[in-house]
Amino acid sequence: MRSFFCVSRQYIRGKEGKKKKLENHLTVRTVLGPELRRKVCLKVIKMERITTLQGILKPMDRLFGKFMDKVSFKKKLLFFFLLVSLGPILMIGMIVYTSSRITIHNKMTYYSNDSLTKSKQQMEMILKRYEDLTYQMMVYKDVNKLFIDFIEDEDNHTSARIELENYLNSIAFSNPNIFAIKYISTAGEEINAGGEISSSYETAFKESSVNDTVTKDNDRVHWLPPVKANNAGEGVQVLMGRMIKDFSTGIDVGNIFFFINESSFDRALNEYLYETDGIAENRIKGNYLILLDNNGRILSSPRKEEINNNIFDLLKRKEHLRALIEGEDLNTDFSNVLNKKAVQISFKEINSDWILLGIAPTSYLYRETRGIGFSVF
């Protein structure tokens, strides 16, 4: 008879956090050979390893509660290694997903600002072209004389009226974006050229203070909110007014008004959308630009129902845009909610009166990043 001891030592952590040494003595008294003793020792070592793994899995038991009590040890072990292996993958996926959104946002901001700068330059050229037409009425002697003769030449008043009316018609018909032109002399006599202005608007115009406002601005160009000068069609017109003077004496000879189709501004700003059918049944597919005055009134937009509404009535958060319009030095690109849709807004001043806003729906911008996130998941 021969005795031997197969001793296993195991370290566990107690309640106080100190290591205690636990010895398990297994005494096997047998007359069998060394092969059986080796198997017995291997069995003991295996049991100790299982006990160690069970200690590792205890935090997972606490985390998932009673659900893990009913799961076998092998499944727990499999679930544990799945968590360990998936954790880094999910972290990398989140980093890739977040960085892709940041990259898209930065690129969108760059291209949006570039587009706004070009659109601003284009709008400045368009506005200058209309303003130059009214300036020419004063600096060109032959043209300026038409206005002077109309108010001063009583003997040939009728012929002077016809000549002035023909001149104004030539301007209106040579530029398809000008719907109509109205001239009001200092005596209150009117000449309409171009498209037909409805009687209802004529009445509204006379009752308004538009003519007085332009007179008070002296010879400064005055841009006014969009109006509906004709009952036919759904279009509206942006109104521009200016006082005309006798260039040699500086005497006021009346006010001139241009009714410019709002659609011409919209198509100039959103040409790409119209060329690619990005607007269908009042649904806009992609980024677009809108035109505001310095009070927040919408002067031009692909969404025609928004025209003459105030942008602040359509925004969820108003403070940032209001501060930019008031001249505060803030970030000109910011997130907001417009018409209950999340958008990225870019801000650019055209002049002291008009502002451009670039609108980019974020659902459209981040469509690809959501695809990346789904693929990683």
Side-chain angles (χ1 to χ4, degrees):
M1 298 288 290
R2 194 165 55 167
S3 301
F4 74 92
F5 293 95
C6 179
V7 180
S8 170
R9 298 182 182 275
Q10 183 182 33
Y11 291 90
I12 63 172
R13 189 175 297 275
K15 291 182 179 179
E16 292 77 20
K18 297 180 179 180
K19 293 182 177 179
K20 296 180 180 180
K21 185 166 62 177
L22 177 66
E23 296 185 353
N24 292 325
H25 299 278
L26 175 64
T27 304
V28 179
R29 298 177 181 277
T30 178
V31 293
L32 297 180
E35 181 64 24
L36 182 59
R37 288 180 302 191
R38 186 181 68 82
K39 288 182 178 180
V40 171
C41 285
L42 288 175
K43 185 70 174 177
V44 171
I45 292 170
K46 184 178 180 181
M47 292 176 63
E48 289 182 347
R49 287 178 178 174
I50 291 174
T51 303
T52 302
L53 289 172
Q54 286 176 335
I56 294 174
L57 296 176
K58 280 184 178 179
M60 192 169 66
D61 290 339
R62 295 192 192 101
L63 181 63
F64 292 98
K66 295 182 180 180
F67 171 74
M68 297 303 292
D69 293 342
K70 299 177 182 179
V71 179
S72 65
F73 175 73
K74 288 183 178 180
K75 290 182 179 179
K76 285 182 181 180
L77 195 61
L78 178 63
F79 185 63
F80 174 76
F81 284 114
L82 278 174
L83 286 178
V84 171
S85 60
L86 286 176
I89 295 175
L90 290 174
M91 288 181 64
I92 293 171
M94 286 298 296
I95 293 171
V96 171
Y97 176 72
T98 304
S99 62
S100 66
R101 287 178 69 94
I102 293 172
T103 301
I104 287 177
H105 176 269
N106 292 339
K107 285 189 175 182
M108 180 272 298
T109 300
Y110 171 78
Y111 288 119
S112 180
N113 286 329
D114 183 61
S115 175
L116 276 179
T117 300
K118 292 177 180 177
S119 297
K120 173 189 174 181
Q121 294 170 349
Q122 185 180 15
M123 282 301 302
E124 286 174 338
M125 292 175 61
I126 292 173
L127 298 180
K128 188 176 185 302
R129 185 163 66 244
Y130 293 124
E131 292 173 2
D132 285 349
L133 284 174
T134 60
Y135 186 66
Q136 292 169 10
M137 294 175 181
M138 291 185 283
V139 297
Y140 289 180
K141 290 183 178 180
D142 292 342
V143 176
N144 194 233
K145 189 174 183 300
L146 294 176
F147 292 92
I148 298 170
D149 289 345
F150 177 69
I151 64 171
E152 293 182 356
D153 193 350
E154 297 180 358
D155 296 333
N156 300 299
H157 185 72
T158 302
S159 60
R161 179 187 180 91
I162 293 173
E163 288 183 11
L164 180 56
E165 191 171 346
N166 289 338
Y167 168 72
L168 296 178
N169 273 315
S170 68
I171 295 176
F173 292 131
S174 64
N175 191 328
N177 295 326
I178 297 178
F179 170 73
I181 299 174
K182 177 187 281 292
Y183 168 68
I184 305 177
S185 70
T186 51
E189 193 171 356
E190 298 185 13
I191 294 178
N192 290 338
E196 183 181 353
I197 298 175
S198 66
S199 57
S200 59
Y201 178 73
E202 288 283 11
T203 303
F205 184 90
K206 290 175 181 177
E207 292 176 351
S208 70
S209 60
V210 171
N211 194 48
D212 293 336
T213 301
V214 173
T215 301
K216 290 177 183 177
D217 279 345
N218 208 347
D219 62 345
R220 176 179 174 269
V221 174
H222 195 86
W223 289 93
L224 299 150
V227 298
K228 190 170 181 59
N230 189 281
N231 294 329
E234 298 179 357
V236 295
Q237 293 77 38
V238 177
L239 190 58
M240 181 191 76
R242 186 174 196 168
M243 177 191 289
I244 304 299
K245 291 185 176 182
D246 182 334
F247 192 70
S248 59
T249 64
I251 297 174
D252 175 18
V253 295
N255 296 333
I256 194 80
F257 295 91
F258 282 20
F259 295 81
I260 304 164
N261 291 322
E262 175 275 331
S263 59
S264 65
F265 294 132
D266 179 29
R267 286 188 174 273
L269 294 173
N270 298 290
E271 183 178 4
Y272 177 77
L273 277 179
Y274 288 99
E275 288 182 349
T276 58
D277 295 327
I279 301 176
E281 297 180 357
N282 209 30
R283 294 183 61 185
I284 301 176
K285 303 174 184 177
N287 305 353
Y288 61 97
L289 299 175
I290 61 176
L291 191 64
L292 309 177
D293 65 13
N294 53 13
N295 294 315
R297 184 194 293 266
I298 298 175
L299 305 176
S300 179
S301 170
R303 300 181 183 275
K304 302 308 177 186
E305 71 279 4
E306 292 180 353
I307 295 174
N308 273 327
N309 287 333
N310 198 292
I311 189 68
F312 295 112
D313 295 333
L314 308 177
L315 286 175
K316 183 177 181 180
R317 297 181 294 275
K318 306 170 177 52
E319 294 77 13
H320 194 96
L321 179 59
R322 196 184 300 278
L324 284 172
I325 292 176
E326 291 173 354
E328 293 189 28
D329 186 15
L330 299 176
N331 190 352
T332 55
D333 298 280
F334 55 98
S335 299
N336 211 317
V337 177
L338 178 66
N339 283 325
K340 301 180 180 180
K341 292 183 179 179
V343 295
Q344 183 77 12
I345 298 177
S346 301
F347 175 94
K348 179 76 72 175
E349 282 187 340
I350 298 176
N351 50 41
S352 59
D353 295 322
W354 284 12
I355 296 160
L356 269 179
L357 290 187
I359 309 297
T362 54
S363 59
Y364 164 77
L365 288 171
Y366 297 133
R367 186 181 301 162
E368 292 184 1
T369 60
R370 287 197 296 270
I372 293 172
F374 181 76
S375 299
V376 171
F377 180 75

